[in-house]
Amino acid sequence: MTEKFTVEVPLRYRDLDPFDHVNHAVYVSYLEAARVAYMGELFDLAEDDLPFVVANLEISYEQPITLGDEPVVALRVSELGKTSCTMDYEIRVDGDVVSTAQTVMVYVDPETNRSVPYPDDVRTRIAEYEGLESDV
């Protein structure tokens, strides 16, 4: 996966299970941290102002993350549609991929709480950043 965006996510003691492995559900919070940082960088929005929601999530666990590891999440938008985008993720430790994931994100109108097409400026910004085609 080639990506422009990576973020370090701190491993917290509370993330661990009794075997000192990061609990499988915590990986999803690492994806969220990367996604929030990505959107914040592209759109200069506060976390509470992000109008994107997860419509689908798929995750594969390749290796455990353990106490002492320093996970890094790489993220890229691989598909940009009119009403959704697909984000691909790799969680890495010491350069090795320990998990891969994909989310489908939809844009939600904050007044109606309903999904709507991505505004032209949002689509354009993502397309420019990722080097994708935009129909705008």
Side-chain angles (χ1 to χ4, degrees):
M1 173 170 117
T2 58
E3 81 294 321
K4 294 182 182 182
F5 188 83
T6 60
V7 64
E8 294 177 17
V9 289
L11 190 150
R12 302 158 300 194
Y13 184 75
R14 68 180 176 165
D15 295 347
L16 302 172
D17 64 17
F19 301 106
D20 283 338
H21 297 154
V22 171
N23 182 279
H24 68 282
V26 174
Y27 285 57
V28 177
S29 68
Y30 293 170
L31 304 179
E32 179 182 48
R35 190 170 52 251
V36 167
Y38 176 91
M39 293 300 185
E41 181 171 308
L42 261 65
F43 302 108
D44 195 29
L45 295 170
E47 187 173 335
D48 294 342
D49 295 330
L50 296 175
F52 304 91
V53 298
V54 177
N56 188 56
L57 164 69
E58 295 180 26
I59 188 166
S60 295
Y61 303 93
E62 312 294 331
Q63 297 174 209
I65 300 172
T66 59
L67 185 62
D69 288 342
E70 297 176 359
V72 173
V73 180
L75 178 156
R76 75 179 184 100
V77 173
S78 59
E79 295 180 38
L80 180 59
K82 292 191 184 304
T83 60
S84 67
C85 76
T86 302
M87 292 184 161
D88 296 331
Y89 308 80
E90 288 181 349
I91 301 176
R92 302 173 185 155
V93 172
D94 295 329
D96 294 330
V97 176
V98 298
S99 180
T100 58
Q102 188 174 77
T103 57
V104 174
M105 306 300 298
V106 297
Y107 190 88
V108 173
D109 181 318
E111 292 182 20
T112 65
N113 282 331
R114 313 240 335 131
S115 81
V116 294
Y118 280 80
D120 290 347
D121 60 329
V122 171
R123 284 180 46 76
T124 299
R125 179 67 181 119
I126 294 171
E128 287 174 353
Y129 185 83
E130 295 290 349
L132 297 171
E133 293 293 320
S134 176
D135 296 336
V136 176

